[in-house]
Amino acid sequence: MSSRKSDSRERMVLSAAALLREYGASATSVDHVLAHSGAPRGSVYHHFPGGRAQLIDEAVALAGDFITGLIDAAMQADDPVEAVDAFFALWRDRLVESGFRAGCPIVAVAVETNDDAPQLARSAAAVFARWQEALAALLVRHGLAEERSLRLGAFIIAAVEGAVIMCRAERSTAPIEAAAAEIHNLLIYALRDRPGTGSGPRPKA
Amino acid sequence: MSSRKSDSRERMVLSAAALLREYGASATSVDHVLAHSGAPRGSVYHHFPGGRAQLIDEAVALAGDFITGLIDAAMQADDPVEAVDAFFALWRDRLVESGFRAGCPIVAVAVETNDDAPQLARSAAAVFARWQEALAALLVRHGLAEERSLRLGAFIIAAVEGAVIMCRAERSTAPIEAAAAEIHNLLIYALRDRPGTGSGPRPKA
DNA sequence: GTCTATACGAAGATAGAC
DNA sequence: GTCTATCTTCGTATAGAC
């Protein structure tokens, strides 16, 4: 090639995503990303002419795609209830492994974004929509109506995200385990009531 | 009295809470609070020797108490399902009235807080715990076991908070309405299954 | 693509007068 | 309780050399 491509750019986006997870959007400054990635300061605006906003935006897209992959993998389970259980377990493990420091990078951007960066809110919303569709597709495959499936998809994401915030604040897995157990119950009820099906497994205590 | 007490202090805490709701924790700077409240700059550290952290902390407590009052009022409904429906309606109305600008001030602090202000995470967690207890008390009064009631309390808060974040990002009430409908269903199932009770109302579509 | 240096503004916090 | 002035640090962004 005419010029050797460095990996600074990629490393910066990865670092930004990692910092978003653990420290939030405001704390994900250009300086911190440079320190975390080891990328050279001189090339920041060469790689990201849109400045910090572009960097954060790309980190949201990258983290969103990564988690979408995890969801898609979890949704391969035969039993839809098990699949959603696995989705919750994923987040619980992230919390525990990080000592309750790792939250959701998309939530961080969605919460801290204000009117002067409307693109970031749109990017976050797009990620949520993609996750919702992945969850809804699973439920549709198992016989639920599309409208109900989309509703449950949004609901599951809301429950996970809210629970992750609570777990970080109180440094405990209790909220996400409560959410997982209750979503588990609800899905069993929902799948049991679907047309043309005998009674399925009993809900948990 | 020996010295006339001004209301600058109270106004500053109120302004801080309002700014937390709409713009998040990082954007709730001392300057913005002063501009919003009209309080005099010279007396900030007279009223808040702990500086900005103390101001935010008091705003969390104030906003937390305010919302606790709203929850307690909603919980007075005879039917627990109606009570929780009212709780969701409360948040939905706040979103709509504010043009999807108002989120939850407690979540803002919980998400944006990092290791160098651990007290803020604790304050946020304390508010969540208080809300959880208020919701659980309602369910216990209507016959659910204490453990299940606390679990449902945490779950409902997680669902509300997650849904509010999604609603703000996509500027739509769909996520919180999905959460409200599914929690409604789940509560009907939970109350129907409680010991010594005939079948109650049917779940929504 | 990367370097150093720097401009510019915002934010938290303090000092000392009134 | 309130004022003005100031210090320091941090963060974004740009300039111009290499």
Side-chain angles (χ1 to χ4, degrees), chain A residues 6 40 42-43 46-47:
Chain A
S6 121
S43 55
H46 170 73
H47 291 305

Side-chain angles (χ1 to χ4, degrees), chain A residues 59-61 63-64 67 104-111 123-125 127-128 131 161, chain B residues 165:
Chain A
V60 166
I67 298 172
C104 175
I106 316 303
V107 164
V109 170
V111 168
S123 297
V127 171
F128 288 141
W131 297 351
E161 297 293 17
Chain B
I165 292 169

Side-chain angles (χ1 to χ4, degrees), chain B residues 6 40 42-43 46-47:
Chain B
S6 120
S43 55
H46 171 73
H47 291 305

